[in-house]
Every structure is written in C-alpha cells, then in structure tokens.
Amino acid sequence: MNFVFNERDGCGKCPIRHRAVCARCDEEELAVLEGMKSYKTIAQGEPIIWRGDDLQHISSVVSGIASLSRTLEDGRTQVVGLLLPSDFIGSPGRETVDFDVTAVTDVTLCRFERKSFEKLVHEVPHISQRVMEMALDELNAAREWMVLLGRKTAREKIATFIEMVVRRDNVPIHAGQPHSLPLTREEIANFLGLTLETVSRQLSSMKKDSVLTFSDRRKFTVLDLAALQDATGDDADGGVII
Amino acid sequence: MNFVFNERDGCGKCPIRHRAVCARCDEEELAVLEGMKSYKTIAQGEPIIWRGDDLQHISSVVSGIASLSRTLEDGRTQVVGLLLPSDFIGSPGRETVDFDVTAVTDVTLCRFERKSFEKLVHEVPHISQRVMEMALDELNAAREWMVLLGRKTAREKIATFIEMVVRRDNVPIHAGQPHSLPLTREEIANFLGLTLETVSRQLSSMKKDSVLTFSDRRKFTVLDLAALQDATGDDADGGVII
DNA sequence: CAACAACTTTGACCCAGATCAACTTTATGA
DNA sequence: TCATAAAGTTGATCTGGGTCAAAGTTGTTG
C-alpha cells in the first residue's frame, strides 16, 4: 500500500494479496504525511512488537519481511501472515496488536504516530478507501490460507507455498529461473501448520521427483511447474493465491 | 454492520468479530439507501451464490446464518466463515465472490445493486470507514481461526467452537443457560478442519467429562465453563475470539 | 404411523504426519 | 581454521485423528 509513501512498490508482489493496490498515489496525501514519518530498522530475528503491546505507531514495511504469529502457551506457534514491503503493522482504530510481529529478515519500517494516522483516515476519504481495499484483499487471502490449513495435505501445503513464492517473484514463468526462500524450514512449518521435519521431507521428496532443485538451502529452481501446480490441490482455473 | 439499515442489530454477536460496529447509524446514509434495497429469502441448505459467480448485488444478512466455504476438487470442504445478521456478502470493488455462500438456516438478505453501493462507498466517507473497520475485524478473526486450524488439537478446536457459540449468545455466563447449535456435525467439522466422526466423539467425550450436556442434538448447556475455557488452549487473559 | 431419509453415534482399524533421535551441512566468530 | 552453534536431513517409531462400517436416533412425508 504505497499510497502513503512510495519508496518502494508493493504492487501485486505480496504473497498474500490478490489485487495490486498501488500505482495510484495522491500527491496531496503524500505531502500531508511527509512531515510525520520516521524510520526504524529491526535486525533479523528480533521482535518488532508483541501481542497486546500498546500501539504507538502505525508502521509500514519499507524493506524486508516480517511475520505475524501467535504462540500458544505450550509453544506451538502459527504464522498467520507475512508482511512484505508496503504492508502495515497496526490498524487504525486498534490500540494494541493481536499477534506477535517479528523480523524474519532485517526490516526497515516507516512509522507514523498512530493518532495522526487515524486523524488522516477520518479526514481523507481516499485513505480509508485504500485501507478498506487492502483489508478486504488480506481477508480474502487469509481465508484462502484457512482452506490450506484446514484441508490440505502436507504435500499440497508445500506445493502451494512454493507456488506462492514463485508467483510473488513475478518473473516470466518458464522454468530455470532461480528463486530464493526467505524463510527457514521451521518458519515454513509454522506458516503451514506442519513440523519442520515434515517440511524437510516434503521438499526432499519434490527434489527426488524432479519438481524442484536446490542450489543451496535457500535457493531453488522449479523444474516442473505443471507438476507443482498440480500438487497444490487447487483448481487449475482461478482460486489462486495472489 | 447495521449502519446500512437497522432492521436487526448485529452488535458484537457475530462469532467471528471482535468489536461491535453498530449502534452508530447515520440518518442520512439510511435515507440514501432506503430506496435501493430489495429483499430475498433463501431456504435452508440452498446455495446463495457460487464462487466465481458474477456479483450483481452486495447483500447483508438480515436473519439466519450463511456459510462461506471452499470445496477442493475431491470434495474436501473448508468453511472459512459464518455470516450472521449484519454481515455482508460481496465486497465493494470485487466483481465475483471467491467462496461459495450457502444458507445454513433459512436466510433473509437485504440486497443493494452493487454499482450503487460502490458509488456510495466512494461518496460517503463514513461508509468506507465502516467497511474498513468491519474488514479489519474480520481479518483479525480469520487470523485467530488460522491458529485454530493450524495448531489446535481436535478437543481444543471443539472447545473453542463451543465457547464461541456460548459467547455469541451473550447471556450472563453462569451455567445452566441452554444454547442452541446452529450447525450439523458435518458443518462443524468443515468449519474446524475435522471429520464429523471426530466432532461427534469429542462432543461425547465432553459430555462424559460433564463439561456439557445435550438436551437434544442441537441444544446444550455448559456445566463447567472453567473446564471449557481451559480446554480451548488459549491464554486465560485476552486473545479470545469475539 | 410406517417407512424412508438425514443425521448422529460408536467401534475397529489404519495412516499421514508428529515425535524422538542421530547425524550432516552450513554459518559464525574467536 | 578450528570450535561451536544453528539449520537441515533422514530414520525409526508412535499416535491423533481419519477412514470404513454398522447401528442407533430423529425427522419427514405420504
């Protein structure tokens, strides 16, 4: 959502969003916000904000990846979303966050004082419309993910995830293109509702079946896109994430 | 979201929403919409709209319960949300629905022509703000549900679901109050990412443990609320659904 | 009210994925 | 460059919840 400031485009690259919402920046809005912003960088692995913490700022991810997650008392954790450049941390109208936010890679945030941001949401109709669109897109994506979590097999989950990563990289879809995996096996597991061992095994199995190759543990290439898409369990037509 | 018309209050009773968003109706908005609405009733079990269908109307549930779901090719289905009075079917800005919508009980809808509704969203800032708030609330609820689907055990899922139903009924929380279950075992299973047999077994087990009693298969009473809440797997403080 | 259909319960068995454990590979930094 | 840690792989085993099957309930309709 780079209507707020356009250091970075977030157009359709978010793994968890359907429609691009950028490329329609309004100059006046930018001007209003220009004086309000401040930047902050968080190192890989560090918490950005904990569930229940008081929300002083509404921030937008400028670079890097953050995760939204919830951990149950006994340590089971579920990642409920990845925040990529242009995604927001904090919602206007909420005084706390309901999930833990953690820097998956080094993350740079652009922050706005929450009160000012909320004032803006009320005064500039354009902005609430954009936030509305974003929220509706993410709601849709969250629901797609619910289908994955509730009904897909381990292999389908992994295939869906890999396809999402590939799609996000947004390069022409002929094979041979290398992609990089921003998450550890454990983070992938927590995103897919699996264990890290199962993730590892499924990736190995896809290697064995010549669907993927890994040049190193974070870099892979799709050898058989059709097989990958087949393995997602989704209809061929429509219904895709992103 | 009864800002649109207030035949029915939806205040805080939605099982999948955190904050009440009603009780702030604006007279002017009501007046504008008054001429646009039409009603429709759908019988229990009937489809309201299929995924991919062209969205002619934005509708709001007036009475009854509808489900939002996705079915994979081989028949596995996941319910991704329940639509209760005041919830919307269709989003401004979208030309199709991405999930199947089905009447769980008899459902009455109040419908608006989509184009007119969208025009209103653009012209009345108030409305996009409300839709934004709703969408953010539902997004949060969807993420909570992702935690359930990805990480909770069968018993925790059932306990969470029952607690949600009880909470939705919104009566003083001393035991003895009878509640009614609007869904079949199969629908519950599809909502929780389980099979109907597992749902049945878990409910029987909670009966055996004197956490619940059933007076008939759709009516139950909580005997031990503390045990129920304990079994949800959530922290005692905060983090609750609704 | 009989007979059929829809829904629910319960039992027996099985298997996908979790758990536990050993080991390998890669990264970090003194 | 060696030591230690972090991340990943692979194997052996276990188990929660799925699958299959049979009966029991409740509801509906002619």
Side-chain angles (χ1 to χ4, degrees):
Chain A
M1 190 154 89
N2 69 342
F3 67 90
V4 173
F5 52 111
N6 53 4
E7 288 101 349
R8 184 76 169 65
D9 75 314
C11 328
K13 292 195 172 181
C14 169
I16 214 167
R17 188 169 327 141
H18 281 239
R19 293 174 297 170
V21 287
C22 56
R24 333 179 209 153
C25 311
D26 275 11
E27 291 305 324
E28 327 88 78
E29 290 161 21
L30 284 171
V32 177
L33 285 162
E34 200 56 40
M36 296 165 38
K37 58 191 188 184
S38 69
Y39 290 87
K40 192 176 183 194
T41 297
I42 294 98
Q44 179 175 128
E46 295 299 310
I48 294 175
I49 185 165
W50 296 110
R51 164 155 108 106
D53 280 0
D54 229 45
L55 205 53
Q56 305 291 352
H57 298 91
I58 300 274
S59 315
S60 179
V61 176
V62 175
S63 69
I65 301 181
S67 73
L68 259 184
S69 67
R70 170 72 57 84
T71 299
L72 302 178
E73 295 146 35
D74 62 356
R76 285 172 287 173
T77 61
Q78 178 64 48
V79 172
V80 298
L82 295 179
L83 303 178
L84 300 185
S86 86
D87 284 326
F88 273 106
I89 298 170
S91 318
R94 259 169 217 286
E95 318 221 314
T96 57
V97 251
D98 287 317
F99 295 91
D100 301 325
V101 186
T102 313
V104 170
T105 63
D106 289 350
V107 167
T108 303
L109 300 179
C110 177
R111 307 187 306 173
F112 304 92
E113 208 228 318
R114 203 185 89 232
K115 296 285 180 204
S116 325
F117 191 89
E118 285 172 359
K119 193 153 158 279
L120 212 69
V121 168
H122 281 278
E123 286 169 3
V124 186
H126 223 69
I127 291 193
S128 65
Q129 280 163 33
R130 298 283 172 79
V131 176
M132 177 195 83
E133 284 178 19
M134 276 194 76
L136 288 170
D137 284 344
E138 300 221 353
L139 179 57
N140 238 45
R143 285 170 169 165
E144 299 268 357
W145 212 249
M146 284 169 64
V147 177
L148 175 143
L149 291 173
R151 290 301 185 208
K152 289 192 176 180
T153 64
R155 174 161 266 240
E156 288 169 340
K157 287 176 174 182
I158 294 286
T160 305
F161 173 73
I162 295 289
E163 208 221 3
M164 184 186 84
V165 170
V166 169
R167 193 181 291 266
R168 179 176 72 94
D169 280 355
N170 203 28
V171 291
I173 332 180
H174 36 61
Q177 201 67 33
H179 300 276
S180 78
L181 221 44
L183 309 178
T184 65
R185 302 292 185 261
E186 187 178 24
E187 286 161 340
I188 296 171
N190 288 338
F191 194 25
L192 298 177
L194 297 171
T195 59
L196 65 107
E197 293 94 331
T198 299
V199 170
S200 179
R201 272 186 254 269
Q202 290 297 334
L203 287 175
S204 295
S205 145
M206 295 184 101
K207 251 186 301 189
K208 189 169 61 61
D209 297 349
S210 304
V211 178
L212 305 174
T213 30
F214 279 78
S215 63
D216 101 34
R217 57 185 170 185
R218 293 293 192 95
K219 288 214 154 53
F220 70 93
T221 304
V222 177
L223 300 177
D224 189 344
L225 186 65
L228 181 70
Q229 287 173 334
D230 246 41
T232 62
D234 292 319
D235 297 17
D237 58 309
V240 286
I241 296 189
I242 290 184
Chain B
M1 189 153 88
N2 68 341
F3 70 90
V4 172
F5 53 111
N6 52 5
E7 288 100 347
R8 186 76 170 64
D9 74 317
C11 328
K13 292 196 174 183
C14 169
I16 215 168
R17 188 169 327 142
H18 281 240
R19 292 174 297 170
V21 288
C22 56
R24 333 180 209 151
C25 311
D26 275 10
E27 292 305 325
E28 326 90 77
E29 291 160 22
L30 285 171
V32 178
L33 285 162
E34 199 57 39
M36 296 165 40
K37 59 190 188 184
S38 70
Y39 290 87
K40 194 178 183 195
T41 296
I42 295 97
Q44 179 175 126
E46 294 300 310
I48 294 174
I49 186 166
W50 295 109
R51 163 156 108 106
D53 280 0
D54 230 46
L55 205 54
Q56 305 291 353
H57 298 92
I58 300 273
S59 315
S60 178
V61 176
V62 175
S63 68
I65 301 182
S67 73
L68 259 184
S69 66
R70 170 73 56 82
T71 299
L72 302 178
E73 295 146 37
D74 61 357
R76 285 172 286 173
T77 79
Q78 178 65 47
V79 172
V80 298
L82 295 180
L83 303 177
L84 299 187
S86 86
D87 285 325
F88 272 105
I89 298 169
S91 318
R94 259 169 218 287
E95 318 220 314
T96 58
V97 250
D98 287 318
F99 296 90
D100 300 326
V101 185
T102 313
V104 170
T105 63
D106 289 351
V107 167
T108 302
L109 300 178
C110 177
R111 306 188 307 172
F112 304 92
E113 209 227 319
R114 202 184 89 235
K115 296 286 180 203
S116 326
F117 192 88
E118 285 171 0
K119 193 153 158 279
L120 212 68
V121 168
H122 281 278
E123 287 169 1
V124 186
H126 222 69
I127 291 193
S128 65
Q129 281 163 32
R130 297 282 172 80
V131 177
M132 178 194 83
E133 284 177 20
M134 276 194 76
L136 288 171
D137 285 344
E138 300 220 355
L139 179 57
N140 238 43
R143 285 171 169 163
E144 299 268 356
W145 212 251
M146 285 170 63
V147 176
L148 175 143
L149 292 172
R151 290 300 185 208
K152 288 191 177 180
T153 63
R155 173 160 266 241
E156 288 169 339
K157 287 176 173 182
I158 294 287
T160 305
F161 174 73
I162 295 289
E163 208 221 2
M164 184 187 83
V165 171
V166 170
R167 192 182 293 267
R168 179 175 73 94
D169 280 355
N170 204 27
V171 292
I173 332 180
H174 36 62
Q177 200 67 33
H179 300 275
S180 79
L181 221 45
L183 309 177
T184 66
R185 302 292 185 261
E186 187 178 25
E187 287 161 339
I188 296 171
N190 288 339
F191 194 26
L192 297 176
L194 297 171
T195 59
L196 65 107
E197 293 94 332
T198 299
V199 170
S200 179
R201 273 187 254 269
Q202 291 297 335
L203 287 175
S204 296
S205 144
M206 294 183 101
K207 250 186 300 187
K208 191 169 59 63
D209 298 349
S210 305
V211 178
L212 306 173
T213 31
F214 279 77
S215 63
D216 100 35
R217 59 186 169 182
R218 293 293 192 97
K219 287 214 155 52
F220 70 93
T221 304
V222 177
L223 299 177
D224 188 344
L225 186 66
L228 182 70
Q229 287 172 333
D230 244 41
T232 62
D234 293 318
D235 298 16
D237 57 311
V240 284
I241 295 189
I242 289 183

